[in-house]
């Protein structure tokens, strides 16, 4: 389910994009689908029968799509259940972790140890490690709730020069990071990599995590629409407003350039990707979205910009 704030933000972002970018040939219908997967499937089928050019799912999506002849996009994170053949539009926690690991490898780490609680690995972590292993050593170490921070650090610290990436946001992470620093005898030279779920956690003030990097969604282009959004709705856009704006923007852009017949799966999977208010993104062959992140660093309990996003894929 989508909470009321996110629902409002998505509606506002989509409506503003249509007003800003459409040439009068597109329209959007926002259809409530209360009642679970069956209700969503029924409404999607109705949209297909009515001849809609594309269907966007928000908050929930059925596991089966209505037809492979219509473009279907889910405003859901990578790894979420979505119709076969549909495209995910939102980044996941694993995507944030992967972008942070890539940054650590590009800045001198010989490899990366990914630390995750047993049975609680974030969705997509195995796929992420599989993608990264072709370019650098990336290893997963899982730990149980009964293990001490020092015992976990002893296993992880066996690879000199490796960075340490944490999946999840458990309260044990500061103690493990502290044990790693003690065991390796470095207070500043260890590279700690977090993930996007840390932004709403109690981890940030921990001294052992000072200097940790986290890859965040790139909203640096938000100012492209913020003035119009504030004028229209009296507030700044939220994250879901920005994602909904970009979703409509790419559909409107393709429609302007190629007409309705251009709104196909093949067109939207362009390897060059797209650049919008949520940064640069493109779709992989498996339907997941690949996004460029910006790197932020934990300083004094808050995140500060450390590096902008990459210029392109």
């Amino acid at each position: 389910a989508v909470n009321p704030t996110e629902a409002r933000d998505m509606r506002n972002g989509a409506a503003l994009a249509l007003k800003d970018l459409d040439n009068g040939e597109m329209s959007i219908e926002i259809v409530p689908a209360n009642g679970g997967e069956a209700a969503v499937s029924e409404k999607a089928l109705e949209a297909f029968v009515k001849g809609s050019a594309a269907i966007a799912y928000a908050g929930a999506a059925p596991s089966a799509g209505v037809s492979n002849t219509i473009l279907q996009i889910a405003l859901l994170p990578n790894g979420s259940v979505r119709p076969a053949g549909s495209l995910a539009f939102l980044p996941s926690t694993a995507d944030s972790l992967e972008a942070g690991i890539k940054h650590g490898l590009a800045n001198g780490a010989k490899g990366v140890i990914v630390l995750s609680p047993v049975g609680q690995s974030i969705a997509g972590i195995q796929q992420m490690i599989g993608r990264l292993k072709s370019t650098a050593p990336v290893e997963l170490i899982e730990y149980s709730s009964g293990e001490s921070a020092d015992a976990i650090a002893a296993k992880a610290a066996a690879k000199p020069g490796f960075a340490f990436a944490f999946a999840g946001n458990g309260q044990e992470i500061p103690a493990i990071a502290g044990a790693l620093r003690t065991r390796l005898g470095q207070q500043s030279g260890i590279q700690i990599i977090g993930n996007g779920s840390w932004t709403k956690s109690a981890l940030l003030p921990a001294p052992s995590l000072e200097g940790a990097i986290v890859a965040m969604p790139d909203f640096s282009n938000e100012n492209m629409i913020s003035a119009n959004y504030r004028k229209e709705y009296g507030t700044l856009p939220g994250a879901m407003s920005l994602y909904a704006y970009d979703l409509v923007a790419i559909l409107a852009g393709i429609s302007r350039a190629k007409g309705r017949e251009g709104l196909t799966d093949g067109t939207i999977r362009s390897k060059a990707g797209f650049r919008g208010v949520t940064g640069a993104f493109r779709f992989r062959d498996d339907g997941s979205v690949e996004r460029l992140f910006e790197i932020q660093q934990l300083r004094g309990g808050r995140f500060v910009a450390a590096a902008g996003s990459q210029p392109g894929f």
Side-chain angles (χ1 to χ4, degrees), residues 32 38 127 234 247 293:
Q127 294 93 321
L247 174 58
F293 289 73

Side-chain angles (χ1 to χ4, degrees), residues 98-241:
E98 181 173 354
I101 289 173
K102 287 180 177 177
H103 179 81
L105 292 170
N107 284 271
K110 295 179 180 178
V112 177
I113 300 293
V114 179
L115 293 144
S116 176
V118 172
Q120 298 181 36
S121 297
I122 57 177
I125 192 170
Q126 295 291 358
Q127 294 93 321
M128 173 201 75
I129 291 174
R131 285 194 295 268
L132 292 171
K133 271 188 172 180
S134 63
T135 58
V138 180
E139 301 178 15
L140 174 65
I141 291 180
E142 294 185 301
Y143 56 87
S144 67
S145 58
E147 287 185 89
S148 69
D150 188 62
I152 298 166
K155 292 187 290 186
K159 299 292 182 82
F162 274 47
F164 304 96
F166 287 91
N169 57 9
Q171 61 183 4
E172 74 281 356
I173 290 175
I176 298 171
L180 282 167
R181 294 187 185 279
T182 299
R183 181 168 286 274
L184 293 173
Q186 304 175 61
Q187 291 304 308
S188 60
I190 296 175
Q191 180 63 77
I192 302 294
I193 301 168
N195 63 76
S197 70
W198 285 18
T199 57
K200 297 179 181 180
S201 76
L203 302 178
L204 306 190
S208 62
L209 299 181
E210 179 76 4
I213 64 166
V214 174
M216 301 289 196
D218 179 10
F219 294 154
S220 59
N221 291 332
E222 177 185 346
N223 60 352
M224 293 170 59
I225 71 164
S226 56
N228 282 352
Y229 193 95
R230 183 188 284 276
K231 181 179 178 181
E232 196 76 20
Y233 304 112
T235 185
L236 289 174
M240 294 308 297
S241 302

